[in-house]
Amino acid sequence: MSSNRYSLWSLFKQGLKHNKGWEPAWTSPQLKPSYDVVIIGGGGHGLATAYYLAKNHGVKNIAVLERGYLGGGNTARNTTIVRSNYLWDEASQLYEHSMKLWEGLSEDINYNVMFSQRGVFNLCHTLQDMRDGERRVNANALNGIDAQLLTTAEVKAHIPLLDCSSRSRYPVLGATYQPRAGVARHDAVAWGFARAASALGVDIIQQCEVLGMDIEDGRIKGVETSQGYVRTNRVGCVTAGHSSVMAKMAGIRLPIESHPLQAFVSESMRPCLDTVVM
């Protein structure tokens, strides 16, 4: 368990020790035979679930099982966009609550998740896009969510390099804009939640694939894993697009489908350092 609090002072102090005094960000314990809660999936959502269960609800005997490594699954492949300007009331309220968590997340878990509120634009290329955009902005306003409908000139003022002219392949008639939206580095989110959860006593087990579920009379008794059997009466399946596969192990058919998504997203990039070998 890491006892180091990241700060300017700790960075200075460890620098004097040639950075040899840092403790591991999280522990790598052996899988125990039983847990109060087992969470399948060591991505951002699975680790966040473990963290908030431990922090807000006092559940300490938790295992997070990840078949690969932390930050290497869907968490590393998503679009990094963080926003709450959704049309439907239920979705917008859920994501607005999430946005408020994001705005204090780095301070809460003492880890820089590189959350940058640079705003998000949804470009409108047709009159129907503009109608849909106006509908969404008005719905957001009714829910107290920051959202604006921009004209072509306003889009151009925000993004000078964007070709908004009628001569472009996809002319820009306007856009919806949420100023508080932004991007984050989601593998850093996984690492930050892993560190914070581990400090609260959560066992994080990597390279541990769930192979089956032990169910008796409609209740979970345990899970079979690549590292052995684990007893538990509470299991959380937090495996993104793999959720339907996990649910099938429990005899449940989820009414969902996974769809591929392509998006062009700006994000914070770590600097590349040239190494000169003498």
Side-chain angles (χ1 to χ4, degrees), residues 60-110:
K60 302 300 183 183
N61 190 25
I62 304 172
V64 177
L65 309 183
E66 168 56 48
R67 70 172 180 175
Y69 59 93
L70 299 188
N74 188 69
T75 291
R77 293 190 293 270
N78 58 25
T79 63
T80 79
I81 298 174
V82 180
R83 63 188 180 93
S84 62
N85 61 339
Y86 289 79
L87 172 62
W88 304 113
D89 293 349
E90 297 83 358
S92 63
Q93 292 295 342
L94 173 65
Y95 285 104
E96 179 62 18
H97 177 74
S98 175
M99 177 74 78
K100 291 174 181 176
L101 292 176
W102 275 102
E103 289 174 328
L105 183 59
S106 290
E107 292 77 11
D108 182 26
I109 63 176
N110 186 226

mmCIF file of all heavy atoms in Angstrom, residues 60-110:
data_model
loop_
_atom_site.group_PDB
_atom_site.id
_atom_site.type_symbol
_atom_site.label_atom_id
_atom_site.label_comp_id
_atom_site.label_asym_id
_atom_site.label_seq_id
_atom_site.Cartn_x
_atom_site.Cartn_y
_atom_site.Cartn_z
ATOM 1 N N LYS A 60 -14.348 -3.171 2.811
ATOM 2 C CA LYS A 60 -12.892 -3.259 2.714
ATOM 3 C C LYS A 60 -12.397 -4.539 2.053
ATOM 4 O O LYS A 60 -11.337 -4.558 1.445
ATOM 5 C CB LYS A 60 -12.284 -3.153 4.117
ATOM 6 C CG LYS A 60 -12.645 -1.870 4.852
ATOM 7 C CD LYS A 60 -12.169 -0.628 4.110
ATOM 8 C CE LYS A 60 -12.477 0.639 4.893
ATOM 9 N NZ LYS A 60 -12.089 1.865 4.158
ATOM 10 N N ASN A 61 -13.160 -5.631 2.206
ATOM 11 C CA ASN A 61 -12.692 -6.924 1.691
ATOM 12 C C ASN A 61 -13.154 -7.088 0.242
ATOM 13 O O ASN A 61 -14.101 -7.821 -0.051
ATOM 14 C CB ASN A 61 -13.230 -8.060 2.568
ATOM 15 C CG ASN A 61 -12.597 -9.392 2.233
ATOM 16 O OD1 ASN A 61 -11.480 -9.454 1.721
ATOM 17 N ND2 ASN A 61 -13.307 -10.463 2.517
ATOM 18 N N ILE A 62 -12.460 -6.390 -0.674
ATOM 19 C CA ILE A 62 -12.842 -6.339 -2.082
ATOM 20 C C ILE A 62 -11.684 -6.821 -2.939
ATOM 21 O O ILE A 62 -10.521 -6.514 -2.669
ATOM 22 C CB ILE A 62 -13.200 -4.894 -2.503
ATOM 23 C CG1 ILE A 62 -14.302 -4.320 -1.620
ATOM 24 C CG2 ILE A 62 -13.604 -4.835 -3.965
ATOM 25 C CD1 ILE A 62 -14.568 -2.844 -1.865
ATOM 26 N N ALA A 63 -12.027 -7.561 -3.991
ATOM 27 C CA ALA A 63 -11.026 -7.946 -4.998
ATOM 28 C C ALA A 63 -11.465 -7.418 -6.352
ATOM 29 O O ALA A 63 -12.633 -7.511 -6.725
ATOM 30 C CB ALA A 63 -10.867 -9.463 -5.065
ATOM 31 N N VAL A 64 -10.522 -6.859 -7.087
ATOM 32 C CA VAL A 64 -10.729 -6.473 -8.479
ATOM 33 C C VAL A 64 -9.925 -7.446 -9.335
ATOM 34 O O VAL A 64 -8.702 -7.538 -9.195
ATOM 35 C CB VAL A 64 -10.280 -5.023 -8.751
ATOM 36 C CG1 VAL A 64 -10.434 -4.688 -10.228
ATOM 37 C CG2 VAL A 64 -11.071 -4.047 -7.903
ATOM 38 N N LEU A 65 -10.622 -8.183 -10.205
ATOM 39 C CA LEU A 65 -9.973 -9.193 -11.033
ATOM 40 C C LEU A 65 -9.845 -8.672 -12.461
ATOM 41 O O LEU A 65 -10.833 -8.325 -13.093
ATOM 42 C CB LEU A 65 -10.785 -10.494 -11.026
ATOM 43 C CG LEU A 65 -11.169 -11.049 -9.642
ATOM 44 C CD1 LEU A 65 -11.908 -12.370 -9.802
ATOM 45 C CD2 LEU A 65 -9.940 -11.205 -8.758
ATOM 46 N N GLU A 66 -8.619 -8.635 -12.950
ATOM 47 C CA GLU A 66 -8.345 -8.147 -14.301
ATOM 48 C C GLU A 66 -7.599 -9.226 -15.078
ATOM 49 O O GLU A 66 -6.546 -9.689 -14.636
ATOM 50 C CB GLU A 66 -7.505 -6.869 -14.236
ATOM 51 C CG GLU A 66 -6.918 -6.411 -15.555
ATOM 52 C CD GLU A 66 -7.962 -6.213 -16.650
ATOM 53 O OE1 GLU A 66 -8.994 -5.568 -16.383
ATOM 54 O OE2 GLU A 66 -7.733 -6.720 -17.769
ATOM 55 N N ARG A 67 -8.162 -9.631 -16.213
ATOM 56 C CA ARG A 67 -7.530 -10.725 -16.959
ATOM 57 C C ARG A 67 -6.246 -10.286 -17.653
ATOM 58 O O ARG A 67 -5.405 -11.112 -17.993
ATOM 59 C CB ARG A 67 -8.503 -11.304 -17.978
ATOM 60 C CG ARG A 67 -8.817 -10.405 -19.154
ATOM 61 C CD ARG A 67 -9.635 -11.149 -20.191
ATOM 62 N NE ARG A 67 -9.957 -10.317 -21.339
ATOM 63 C CZ ARG A 67 -10.573 -10.766 -22.425
ATOM 64 N NH1 ARG A 67 -10.938 -12.040 -22.492
ATOM 65 N NH2 ARG A 67 -10.831 -9.952 -23.421
ATOM 66 N N GLY A 68 -6.082 -8.995 -17.880
ATOM 67 C CA GLY A 68 -4.850 -8.488 -18.486
ATOM 68 C C GLY A 68 -4.065 -7.665 -17.495
ATOM 69 O O GLY A 68 -3.716 -8.137 -16.413
ATOM 70 N N TYR A 69 -3.791 -6.413 -17.871
ATOM 71 C CA TYR A 69 -3.073 -5.510 -16.977
ATOM 72 C C TYR A 69 -3.851 -4.205 -16.864
ATOM 73 O O TYR A 69 -4.686 -3.881 -17.713
ATOM 74 C CB TYR A 69 -1.649 -5.242 -17.476
ATOM 75 C CG TYR A 69 -1.590 -4.622 -18.855
ATOM 76 C CD1 TYR A 69 -1.534 -3.238 -19.015
ATOM 77 C CD2 TYR A 69 -1.586 -5.417 -20.001
ATOM 78 C CE1 TYR A 69 -1.484 -2.667 -20.274
ATOM 79 C CE2 TYR A 69 -1.534 -4.846 -21.268
ATOM 80 C CZ TYR A 69 -1.473 -3.477 -21.397
ATOM 81 O OH TYR A 69 -1.431 -2.912 -22.640
ATOM 82 N N LEU A 70 -3.603 -3.455 -15.809
ATOM 83 C CA LEU A 70 -4.370 -2.247 -15.542
ATOM 84 C C LEU A 70 -4.131 -1.189 -16.613
ATOM 85 O O LEU A 70 -2.989 -0.863 -16.934
ATOM 86 C CB LEU A 70 -4.007 -1.679 -14.168
ATOM 87 C CG LEU A 70 -4.279 -2.564 -12.958
ATOM 88 C CD1 LEU A 70 -4.062 -1.785 -11.678
ATOM 89 C CD2 LEU A 70 -5.679 -3.143 -12.995
ATOM 90 N N GLY A 71 -5.212 -0.661 -17.139
ATOM 91 C CA GLY A 71 -5.110 0.379 -18.153
ATOM 92 C C GLY A 71 -4.880 -0.154 -19.543
ATOM 93 O O GLY A 71 -4.593 0.618 -20.459
ATOM 94 N N GLY A 72 -5.018 -1.456 -19.756
ATOM 95 C CA GLY A 72 -4.721 -2.025 -21.058
ATOM 96 C C GLY A 72 -5.928 -2.516 -21.829
ATOM 97 O O GLY A 72 -5.800 -2.962 -22.956
ATOM 98 N N GLY A 73 -7.108 -2.433 -21.241
ATOM 99 C CA GLY A 73 -8.303 -2.922 -21.921
ATOM 100 C C GLY A 73 -9.039 -1.802 -22.627
ATOM 101 O O GLY A 73 -8.444 -0.940 -23.272
ATOM 102 N N ASN A 74 -10.367 -1.795 -22.472
ATOM 103 C CA ASN A 74 -11.170 -0.764 -23.126
ATOM 104 C C ASN A 74 -10.806 0.637 -22.633
ATOM 105 O O ASN A 74 -10.913 1.614 -23.373
ATOM 106 C CB ASN A 74 -12.652 -1.027 -22.854
ATOM 107 C CG ASN A 74 -13.555 -0.117 -23.656
ATOM 108 O OD1 ASN A 74 -13.647 -0.227 -24.869
ATOM 109 N ND2 ASN A 74 -14.221 0.800 -22.976
ATOM 110 N N THR A 75 -10.336 0.721 -21.382
ATOM 111 C CA THR A 75 -9.933 2.012 -20.832
ATOM 112 C C THR A 75 -8.880 2.688 -21.701
ATOM 113 O O THR A 75 -8.888 3.904 -21.871
ATOM 114 C CB THR A 75 -9.388 1.830 -19.405
ATOM 115 O OG1 THR A 75 -10.469 1.469 -18.547
ATOM 116 C CG2 THR A 75 -8.745 3.099 -18.880
ATOM 117 N N ALA A 76 -7.969 1.913 -22.259
ATOM 118 C CA ALA A 76 -6.898 2.482 -23.080
ATOM 119 C C ALA A 76 -7.342 2.769 -24.506
ATOM 120 O O ALA A 76 -6.599 3.394 -25.266
ATOM 121 C CB ALA A 76 -5.698 1.533 -23.101
ATOM 122 N N ARG A 77 -8.562 2.348 -24.865
ATOM 123 C CA ARG A 77 -8.976 2.478 -26.262
ATOM 124 C C ARG A 77 -10.175 3.410 -26.446
ATOM 125 O O ARG A 77 -10.672 3.561 -27.549
ATOM 126 C CB ARG A 77 -9.336 1.100 -26.830
ATOM 127 C CG ARG A 77 -8.151 0.161 -26.947
ATOM 128 C CD ARG A 77 -8.522 -1.083 -27.736
ATOM 129 N NE ARG A 77 -9.477 -1.906 -27.047
ATOM 130 C CZ ARG A 77 -9.161 -2.888 -26.206
ATOM 131 N NH1 ARG A 77 -7.896 -3.132 -25.948
ATOM 132 N NH2 ARG A 77 -10.102 -3.610 -25.622
ATOM 133 N N ASN A 78 -10.666 4.022 -25.363
ATOM 134 C CA ASN A 78 -11.830 4.878 -25.540
ATOM 135 C C ASN A 78 -11.419 6.260 -26.045
ATOM 136 O O ASN A 78 -10.242 6.542 -26.236
ATOM 137 C CB ASN A 78 -12.661 4.961 -24.250
ATOM 138 C CG ASN A 78 -11.862 5.474 -23.082
ATOM 139 O OD1 ASN A 78 -10.889 6.178 -23.251
ATOM 140 N ND2 ASN A 78 -12.271 5.110 -21.876
ATOM 141 N N THR A 79 -12.397 7.124 -26.251
ATOM 142 C CA THR A 79 -12.137 8.380 -26.948
ATOM 143 C C THR A 79 -11.630 9.498 -26.054
ATOM 144 O O THR A 79 -11.319 10.577 -26.552
ATOM 145 C CB THR A 79 -13.427 8.883 -27.626
ATOM 146 O OG1 THR A 79 -14.406 9.159 -26.617
ATOM 147 C CG2 THR A 79 -13.985 7.853 -28.580
ATOM 148 N N THR A 80 -11.582 9.283 -24.776
ATOM 149 C CA THR A 80 -11.125 10.247 -23.762
ATOM 150 C C THR A 80 -12.061 11.430 -23.578
ATOM 151 O O THR A 80 -11.785 12.313 -22.771
ATOM 152 C CB THR A 80 -9.696 10.798 -24.047
ATOM 153 O OG1 THR A 80 -9.738 11.811 -25.054
ATOM 154 C CG2 THR A 80 -8.744 9.700 -24.447
ATOM 155 N N ILE A 81 -13.181 11.497 -24.290
ATOM 156 C CA ILE A 81 -14.084 12.640 -24.165
ATOM 157 C C ILE A 81 -14.889 12.548 -22.871
ATOM 158 O O ILE A 81 -15.411 11.489 -22.531
ATOM 159 C CB ILE A 81 -15.056 12.721 -25.353
ATOM 160 C CG1 ILE A 81 -14.286 12.915 -26.664
ATOM 161 C CG2 ILE A 81 -16.049 13.853 -25.173
ATOM 162 C CD1 ILE A 81 -15.165 12.850 -27.897
ATOM 163 N N VAL A 82 -14.978 13.654 -22.151
ATOM 164 C CA VAL A 82 -15.775 13.749 -20.934
ATOM 165 C C VAL A 82 -16.787 14.868 -21.148
ATOM 166 O O VAL A 82 -16.408 16.027 -21.308
ATOM 167 C CB VAL A 82 -14.899 14.055 -19.708
ATOM 168 C CG1 VAL A 82 -15.761 14.160 -18.455
ATOM 169 C CG2 VAL A 82 -13.828 12.988 -19.535
ATOM 170 N N ARG A 83 -18.071 14.537 -21.154
ATOM 171 C CA ARG A 83 -19.100 15.539 -21.420
ATOM 172 C C ARG A 83 -20.401 15.127 -20.747
ATOM 173 O O ARG A 83 -20.551 13.968 -20.344
ATOM 174 C CB ARG A 83 -19.334 15.705 -22.931
ATOM 175 C CG ARG A 83 -19.856 14.440 -23.630
ATOM 176 C CD ARG A 83 -19.880 14.619 -25.154
ATOM 177 N NE ARG A 83 -20.367 13.431 -25.838
ATOM 178 C CZ ARG A 83 -21.631 13.213 -26.177
ATOM 179 N NH1 ARG A 83 -22.558 14.133 -25.900
ATOM 180 N NH2 ARG A 83 -22.004 12.121 -26.810
ATOM 181 N N SER A 84 -21.344 16.072 -20.666
ATOM 182 C CA SER A 84 -22.649 15.754 -20.093
ATOM 183 C C SER A 84 -23.781 16.328 -20.929
ATOM 184 O O SER A 84 -24.922 16.395 -20.460
ATOM 185 C CB SER A 84 -22.753 16.288 -18.655
ATOM 186 O OG SER A 84 -22.634 17.696 -18.623
ATOM 187 N N ASN A 85 -23.498 16.744 -22.154
ATOM 188 C CA ASN A 85 -24.529 17.384 -22.996
ATOM 189 C C ASN A 85 -25.323 16.352 -23.794
ATOM 190 O O ASN A 85 -25.403 16.415 -25.022
ATOM 191 C CB ASN A 85 -23.888 18.418 -23.931
ATOM 192 C CG ASN A 85 -22.879 17.810 -24.885
ATOM 193 O OD1 ASN A 85 -22.348 16.727 -24.648
ATOM 194 N ND2 ASN A 85 -22.585 18.508 -25.973
ATOM 195 N N TYR A 86 -25.929 15.418 -23.074
ATOM 196 C CA TYR A 86 -26.754 14.392 -23.704
ATOM 197 C C TYR A 86 -28.203 14.875 -23.785
ATOM 198 O O TYR A 86 -28.644 15.703 -22.984
ATOM 199 C CB TYR A 86 -26.667 13.081 -22.929
ATOM 200 C CG TYR A 86 -25.325 12.396 -23.080
ATOM 201 C CD1 TYR A 86 -24.220 12.822 -22.351
ATOM 202 C CD2 TYR A 86 -25.160 11.331 -23.962
ATOM 203 C CE1 TYR A 86 -22.986 12.203 -22.494
ATOM 204 C CE2 TYR A 86 -23.930 10.710 -24.104
ATOM 205 C CZ TYR A 86 -22.842 11.154 -23.378
ATOM 206 O OH TYR A 86 -21.635 10.543 -23.527
ATOM 207 N N LEU A 87 -28.950 14.314 -24.732
ATOM 208 C CA LEU A 87 -30.309 14.799 -24.975
ATOM 209 C C LEU A 87 -31.284 14.395 -23.883
ATOM 210 O O LEU A 87 -31.995 15.232 -23.329
ATOM 211 C CB LEU A 87 -30.807 14.291 -26.333
ATOM 212 C CG LEU A 87 -32.284 14.558 -26.654
ATOM 213 C CD1 LEU A 87 -32.562 16.063 -26.709
ATOM 214 C CD2 LEU A 87 -32.683 13.880 -27.970
ATOM 215 N N TRP A 88 -31.336 13.100 -23.574
ATOM 216 C CA TRP A 88 -32.371 12.605 -22.671
ATOM 217 C C TRP A 88 -32.080 13.000 -21.231
ATOM 218 O O TRP A 88 -30.931 12.994 -20.780
ATOM 219 C CB TRP A 88 -32.515 11.093 -22.804
ATOM 220 C CG TRP A 88 -32.799 10.672 -24.212
ATOM 221 C CD1 TRP A 88 -31.989 9.962 -25.044
ATOM 222 C CD2 TRP A 88 -33.982 10.980 -24.972
ATOM 223 N NE1 TRP A 88 -32.587 9.795 -26.272
ATOM 224 C CE2 TRP A 88 -33.808 10.413 -26.257
ATOM 225 C CE3 TRP A 88 -35.161 11.673 -24.690
ATOM 226 C CZ2 TRP A 88 -34.769 10.513 -27.252
ATOM 227 C CZ3 TRP A 88 -36.119 11.783 -25.683
ATOM 228 C CH2 TRP A 88 -35.918 11.198 -26.944
ATOM 229 N N ASP A 89 -33.132 13.318 -20.494
ATOM 230 C CA ASP A 89 -32.986 13.787 -19.117
ATOM 231 C C ASP A 89 -32.176 12.816 -18.269
ATOM 232 O O ASP A 89 -31.293 13.216 -17.507
ATOM 233 C CB ASP A 89 -34.358 13.991 -18.471
ATOM 234 C CG ASP A 89 -35.143 15.136 -19.109
ATOM 235 O OD1 ASP A 89 -34.544 15.899 -19.895
ATOM 236 O OD2 ASP A 89 -36.355 15.250 -18.821
ATOM 237 N N GLU A 90 -32.512 11.524 -18.371
ATOM 238 C CA GLU A 90 -31.846 10.524 -17.530
ATOM 239 C C GLU A 90 -30.344 10.488 -17.821
ATOM 240 O O GLU A 90 -29.528 10.439 -16.891
ATOM 241 C CB GLU A 90 -32.456 9.145 -17.765
ATOM 242 C CG GLU A 90 -33.929 9.023 -17.398
ATOM 243 C CD GLU A 90 -34.866 9.518 -18.494
ATOM 244 O OE1 GLU A 90 -34.362 9.995 -19.542
ATOM 245 O OE2 GLU A 90 -36.091 9.426 -18.303
ATOM 246 N N ALA A 91 -29.978 10.509 -19.106
ATOM 247 C CA ALA A 91 -28.567 10.445 -19.477
ATOM 248 C C ALA A 91 -27.828 11.712 -19.061
ATOM 249 O O ALA A 91 -26.720 11.655 -18.512
ATOM 250 C CB ALA A 91 -28.428 10.212 -20.988
ATOM 251 N N SER A 92 -28.450 12.856 -19.310
ATOM 252 C CA SER A 92 -27.769 14.115 -18.991
ATOM 253 C C SER A 92 -27.535 14.262 -17.494
ATOM 254 O O SER A 92 -26.471 14.729 -17.062
ATOM 255 C CB SER A 92 -28.567 15.307 -19.537
ATOM 256 O OG SER A 92 -29.834 15.398 -18.916
ATOM 257 N N GLN A 93 -28.499 13.857 -16.669
ATOM 258 C CA GLN A 93 -28.316 13.956 -15.221
ATOM 259 C C GLN A 93 -27.244 13.003 -14.725
ATOM 260 O O GLN A 93 -26.441 13.349 -13.838
ATOM 261 C CB GLN A 93 -29.641 13.687 -14.503
ATOM 262 C CG GLN A 93 -30.706 14.749 -14.714
ATOM 263 C CD GLN A 93 -30.325 16.096 -14.122
ATOM 264 O OE1 GLN A 93 -29.448 16.180 -13.277
ATOM 265 N NE2 GLN A 93 -30.975 17.152 -14.578
ATOM 266 N N LEU A 94 -27.202 11.801 -15.294
ATOM 267 C CA LEU A 94 -26.169 10.836 -14.911
ATOM 268 C C LEU A 94 -24.781 11.368 -15.246
ATOM 269 O O LEU A 94 -23.865 11.354 -14.408
ATOM 270 C CB LEU A 94 -26.417 9.503 -15.627
ATOM 271 C CG LEU A 94 -25.328 8.435 -15.459
ATOM 272 C CD1 LEU A 94 -25.241 7.983 -14.009
ATOM 273 C CD2 LEU A 94 -25.598 7.251 -16.376
ATOM 274 N N TYR A 95 -24.630 11.877 -16.470
ATOM 275 C CA TYR A 95 -23.319 12.347 -16.890
ATOM 276 C C TYR A 95 -22.946 13.676 -16.252
ATOM 277 O O TYR A 95 -21.758 13.977 -16.082
ATOM 278 C CB TYR A 95 -23.254 12.429 -18.418
ATOM 279 C CG TYR A 95 -23.131 11.073 -19.058
ATOM 280 C CD1 TYR A 95 -24.221 10.466 -19.674
ATOM 281 C CD2 TYR A 95 -21.928 10.375 -19.028
ATOM 282 C CE1 TYR A 95 -24.114 9.206 -20.250
ATOM 283 C CE2 TYR A 95 -21.800 9.120 -19.597
ATOM 284 C CZ TYR A 95 -22.903 8.531 -20.209
ATOM 285 O OH TYR A 95 -22.796 7.291 -20.773
ATOM 286 N N GLU A 96 -23.928 14.495 -15.887
ATOM 287 C CA GLU A 96 -23.619 15.733 -15.169
ATOM 288 C C GLU A 96 -23.080 15.416 -13.780
ATOM 289 O O GLU A 96 -22.132 16.074 -13.303
ATOM 290 C CB GLU A 96 -24.866 16.615 -15.078
ATOM 291 C CG GLU A 96 -24.655 17.924 -14.325
ATOM 292 C CD GLU A 96 -23.624 18.842 -14.967
ATOM 293 O OE1 GLU A 96 -23.293 18.656 -16.164
ATOM 294 O OE2 GLU A 96 -23.132 19.757 -14.268
ATOM 295 N N HIS A 97 -23.653 14.408 -13.119
ATOM 296 C CA HIS A 97 -23.104 13.971 -11.832
ATOM 297 C C HIS A 97 -21.671 13.476 -12.028
ATOM 298 O O HIS A 97 -20.777 13.791 -11.233
ATOM 299 C CB HIS A 97 -23.974 12.864 -11.238
ATOM 300 C CG HIS A 97 -23.445 12.307 -9.949
ATOM 301 N ND1 HIS A 97 -23.505 12.994 -8.753
ATOM 302 C CD2 HIS A 97 -22.819 11.129 -9.674
ATOM 303 C CE1 HIS A 97 -22.954 12.269 -7.792
ATOM 304 N NE2 HIS A 97 -22.534 11.139 -8.329
ATOM 305 N N SER A 98 -21.456 12.720 -13.102
ATOM 306 C CA SER A 98 -20.120 12.233 -13.408
ATOM 307 C C SER A 98 -19.163 13.394 -13.672
ATOM 308 O O SER A 98 -18.013 13.380 -13.217
ATOM 309 C CB SER A 98 -20.173 11.313 -14.636
ATOM 310 O OG SER A 98 -18.876 10.918 -15.035
ATOM 311 N N MET A 99 -19.625 14.412 -14.404
ATOM 312 C CA MET A 99 -18.788 15.570 -14.697
ATOM 313 C C MET A 99 -18.314 16.248 -13.413
ATOM 314 O O MET A 99 -17.149 16.644 -13.286
ATOM 315 C CB MET A 99 -19.572 16.562 -15.560
ATOM 316 C CG MET A 99 -18.833 17.856 -15.866
ATOM 317 S SD MET A 99 -17.525 17.643 -17.092
ATOM 318 C CE MET A 99 -18.522 17.583 -18.583
ATOM 319 N N LYS A 100 -19.210 16.368 -12.445
ATOM 320 C CA LYS A 100 -18.839 16.997 -11.181
ATOM 321 C C LYS A 100 -17.796 16.160 -10.431
ATOM 322 O O LYS A 100 -16.926 16.708 -9.741
ATOM 323 C CB LYS A 100 -20.087 17.218 -10.329
ATOM 324 C CG LYS A 100 -21.014 18.281 -10.911
ATOM 325 C CD LYS A 100 -22.316 18.393 -10.138
ATOM 326 C CE LYS A 100 -23.222 19.453 -10.761
ATOM 327 N NZ LYS A 100 -24.541 19.534 -10.087
ATOM 328 N N LEU A 101 -17.872 14.839 -10.560
ATOM 329 C CA LEU A 101 -16.835 13.984 -9.979
ATOM 330 C C LEU A 101 -15.508 14.211 -10.681
ATOM 331 O O LEU A 101 -14.448 14.290 -10.044
ATOM 332 C CB LEU A 101 -17.235 12.513 -10.076
ATOM 333 C CG LEU A 101 -18.410 12.041 -9.219
ATOM 334 C CD1 LEU A 101 -18.732 10.577 -9.512
ATOM 335 C CD2 LEU A 101 -18.106 12.224 -7.737
ATOM 336 N N TRP A 102 -15.554 14.330 -12.009
ATOM 337 C CA TRP A 102 -14.337 14.568 -12.787
ATOM 338 C C TRP A 102 -13.655 15.860 -12.352
ATOM 339 O O TRP A 102 -12.416 15.927 -12.279
ATOM 340 C CB TRP A 102 -14.669 14.646 -14.276
ATOM 341 C CG TRP A 102 -14.724 13.342 -14.990
ATOM 342 C CD1 TRP A 102 -15.847 12.643 -15.356
ATOM 343 C CD2 TRP A 102 -13.625 12.561 -15.458
ATOM 344 N NE1 TRP A 102 -15.504 11.492 -16.005
ATOM 345 C CE2 TRP A 102 -14.153 11.414 -16.081
ATOM 346 C CE3 TRP A 102 -12.249 12.727 -15.397
ATOM 347 C CZ2 TRP A 102 -13.339 10.433 -16.646
ATOM 348 C CZ3 TRP A 102 -11.438 11.745 -15.962
ATOM 349 C CH2 TRP A 102 -11.991 10.619 -16.577
ATOM 350 N N GLU A 103 -14.447 16.876 -12.087
ATOM 351 C CA GLU A 103 -13.870 18.197 -11.808
ATOM 352 C C GLU A 103 -13.047 18.225 -10.520
ATOM 353 O O GLU A 103 -12.216 19.115 -10.341
ATOM 354 C CB GLU A 103 -14.987 19.246 -11.777
ATOM 355 C CG GLU A 103 -15.559 19.519 -13.159
ATOM 356 C CD GLU A 103 -16.769 20.438 -13.159
ATOM 357 O OE1 GLU A 103 -17.548 20.413 -12.186
ATOM 358 O OE2 GLU A 103 -16.931 21.172 -14.149
ATOM 359 N N GLY A 104 -13.250 17.265 -9.638
ATOM 360 C CA GLY A 104 -12.439 17.193 -8.427
ATOM 361 C C GLY A 104 -11.688 15.887 -8.286
ATOM 362 O O GLY A 104 -11.154 15.587 -7.216
ATOM 363 N N LEU A 105 -11.634 15.103 -9.377
ATOM 364 C CA LEU A 105 -11.092 13.743 -9.273
ATOM 365 C C LEU A 105 -9.602 13.714 -8.954
ATOM 366 O O LEU A 105 -9.159 12.949 -8.097
ATOM 367 C CB LEU A 105 -11.362 12.980 -10.574
ATOM 368 C CG LEU A 105 -10.917 11.510 -10.585
ATOM 369 C CD1 LEU A 105 -11.611 10.730 -9.469
ATOM 370 C CD2 LEU A 105 -11.215 10.869 -11.939
ATOM 371 N N SER A 106 -8.799 14.519 -9.648
ATOM 372 C CA SER A 106 -7.352 14.485 -9.413
ATOM 373 C C SER A 106 -7.018 14.800 -7.954
ATOM 374 O O SER A 106 -6.130 14.173 -7.356
ATOM 375 C CB SER A 106 -6.640 15.467 -10.345
ATOM 376 O OG SER A 106 -6.685 15.022 -11.687
ATOM 377 N N GLU A 107 -7.735 15.769 -7.380
ATOM 378 C CA GLU A 107 -7.504 16.114 -5.980
ATOM 379 C C GLU A 107 -8.000 15.007 -5.057
ATOM 380 O O GLU A 107 -7.364 14.693 -4.048
ATOM 381 C CB GLU A 107 -8.222 17.425 -5.635
ATOM 382 C CG GLU A 107 -7.641 18.662 -6.305
ATOM 383 C CD GLU A 107 -8.037 18.798 -7.758
ATOM 384 O OE1 GLU A 107 -8.938 18.029 -8.202
ATOM 385 O OE2 GLU A 107 -7.477 19.654 -8.473
ATOM 386 N N ASP A 108 -9.127 14.401 -5.416
ATOM 387 C CA ASP A 108 -9.720 13.366 -4.562
ATOM 388 C C ASP A 108 -8.802 12.155 -4.444
ATOM 389 O O ASP A 108 -8.572 11.644 -3.336
ATOM 390 C CB ASP A 108 -11.082 12.950 -5.131
ATOM 391 C CG ASP A 108 -11.785 11.908 -4.283
ATOM 392 O OD1 ASP A 108 -11.521 11.853 -3.057
ATOM 393 O OD2 ASP A 108 -12.594 11.142 -4.825
ATOM 394 N N ILE A 109 -8.279 11.681 -5.559
ATOM 395 C CA ILE A 109 -7.448 10.470 -5.532
ATOM 396 C C ILE A 109 -5.955 10.779 -5.517
ATOM 397 O O ILE A 109 -5.135 9.859 -5.543
ATOM 398 C CB ILE A 109 -7.784 9.538 -6.716
ATOM 399 C CG1 ILE A 109 -7.480 10.201 -8.068
ATOM 400 C CG2 ILE A 109 -9.230 9.085 -6.654
ATOM 401 C CD1 ILE A 109 -7.706 9.280 -9.256
ATOM 402 N N ASN A 110 -5.602 12.089 -5.468
ATOM 403 C CA ASN A 110 -4.201 12.502 -5.407
ATOM 404 C C ASN A 110 -3.390 11.918 -6.566
ATOM 405 O O ASN A 110 -2.336 11.327 -6.398
ATOM 406 C CB ASN A 110 -3.581 12.098 -4.063
ATOM 407 C CG ASN A 110 -2.166 12.631 -3.886
ATOM 408 O OD1 ASN A 110 -1.271 11.882 -3.473
ATOM 409 N ND2 ASN A 110 -1.936 13.891 -4.197
#
